[in-house]
């Protein structure tokens, strides 16, 4: 397995990356913003992406988005092809894109929003902390990217203050804890259930 910084030579994988992201959203029934091949190609072209390949076969992907005049960056679109799941590949890709973000944008805060407990755990192990949406970028272009998510109406109703996703932030200037605490998965699961009960009930009314 090869995990590398993507470039223009990987344009041929743009469509399968988009298809894999879309299919994952259907299977999990969660909100994932859709991306076009053209959008993915821009990230490949500027070296802001990590791709995993098994020979010539696509295995996984994640990309960097830059916001707020480079004050914030997001590691987005983390995906692993179904043939390569449950092998720890997602964690390797996540670490690689995190390291790339720290190298290219050393002073930027790295953030993400997700409904997936597995992604939350990976973020937490890298030093991310759960935060309110107000601590994330206020760049309207970032939030516009949520428009293709099925839960976008929740984000709109709460004036971008809350959604089913949990916001997580890595601040390179924050004091690191002496001993990293173990992620309380049950607490995150409970939070997710509370949000679903609160917001989805309102949506059904």
């Amino acid at each position: 397995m090869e995990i590398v910084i993507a470039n223009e030579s990987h344009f041929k994988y743009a469509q399968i990356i988009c298809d894999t992201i879309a299919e994952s959203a259907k299977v999990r029934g969660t909100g994932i913003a859709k991306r076009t091949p053209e959008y993915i190609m821009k990230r490949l072209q500027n070296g802001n992406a990590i791709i995993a390949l098994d020979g010539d076969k696509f295995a996984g992907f994640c990309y960097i988005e830059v916001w707020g005049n480079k004050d914030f960056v997001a590691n987005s679109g983390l995906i692993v092809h179904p043939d390569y799941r449950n092998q720890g590949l997602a964690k390797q890709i996540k670490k690689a894109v995190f390291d790339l973000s720290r190298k290219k944008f050393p002073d930027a805060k790295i953030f993400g929003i997700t409904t997936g407990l597995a992604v939350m755990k990976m973020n937490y192990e890298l030093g991310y902390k759960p935060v309110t949406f107000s601590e994330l970028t206020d760049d309207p272009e970032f939030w516009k990217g949520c428009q293709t998510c099925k839960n976008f109406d929740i984000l709109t109703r709460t004036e971008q203050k809350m959604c089913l996703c949990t916001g997580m932030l890595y601040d390179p200037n924050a004091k690191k804890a002496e001993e990293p605490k173990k992620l309380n998965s049950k607490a995150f699961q409970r939070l997710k259930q509370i949000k679903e009960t609160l917001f989805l009930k309102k949506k059904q009314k």
Side-chain angles (χ1 to χ4, degrees):
M1 185 69 65
E2 187 179 26
I3 300 175
V4 299
I5 299 173
N7 54 50
E8 294 181 5
S9 70
H10 300 113
F11 277 5
K12 61 184 178 181
Y13 298 105
Q15 186 62 59
I16 191 173
I17 289 170
C18 294
D19 293 344
T20 306
I21 291 173
E23 192 58 35
S24 178
K26 286 182 183 178
V27 172
R28 291 190 292 169
T30 57
I32 299 179
K34 295 178 181 178
R35 295 292 181 243
T36 64
E38 292 75 22
Y39 185 94
I40 296 298
M41 285 180 187
K42 287 183 180 179
R43 275 68 199 168
L44 299 175
Q45 189 174 39
N46 61 21
N48 281 351
I50 293 291
I51 191 168
L53 299 171
D54 181 8
D56 290 331
K57 189 174 181 181
F58 169 72
F61 179 77
C62 192
Y63 63 90
I64 300 170
E65 293 178 303
V66 183
W67 306 105
N69 196 30
K70 298 184 180 180
D71 291 331
F72 289 87
V73 298
N75 296 162
S76 303
L78 176 62
I79 194 70
V80 173
H81 190 277
D83 292 347
Y84 297 93
R85 289 175 186 164
N86 302 313
Q87 299 177 27
L89 182 58
K91 190 172 183 178
Q92 294 178 60
I93 295 172
K94 184 71 176 177
K95 179 64 166 60
V97 78
F98 177 80
D99 290 343
L100 180 62
S101 300
R102 294 285 293 120
K103 181 178 180 180
K104 294 190 72 171
F105 309 99
D107 298 320
K109 295 178 180 179
I110 306 173
F111 75 99
I113 58 174
T114 182
T115 58
L117 289 175
V119 175
M120 290 181 200
K121 185 174 186 296
M122 285 186 277
N123 285 346
Y124 196 81
E125 291 173 349
L126 289 169
Y128 288 68
K129 303 298 180 186
V131 295
T132 61
F133 281 11
S134 65
E135 295 177 66
L136 307 179
T137 179
D138 58 1
D139 192 321
E141 288 301 310
F142 171 78
W143 299 104
K144 187 184 294 185
C146 295
Q147 289 180 349
T148 56
C149 173
K150 69 175 186 177
N151 299 318
F152 183 66
D153 66 303
I154 297 174
L155 189 66
T156 302
R157 291 203 314 262
T158 62
E159 298 179 340
Q160 296 180 357
K161 294 178 181 178
M162 195 178 292
C163 195
L164 295 186
C165 280
T166 294
M168 300 191 76
L169 179 75
Y170 173 87
D171 185 348
N173 298 313
K175 292 182 179 179
K176 295 184 178 179
E178 294 182 4
E179 191 70 30
K181 296 179 180 179
K182 184 178 181 181
L183 177 70
N184 188 338
S185 297
K186 290 184 178 179
F188 276 105
Q189 182 64 48
R190 179 60 181 156
L191 175 62
K192 183 179 177 182
Q193 290 173 346
I194 291 172
K195 286 183 177 182
E196 288 176 345
T197 300
L198 178 65
F199 293 126
L200 297 183
K201 275 188 177 180
K202 285 186 178 180
K203 184 178 179 179
Q204 292 169 358
K205 288 182 179 180

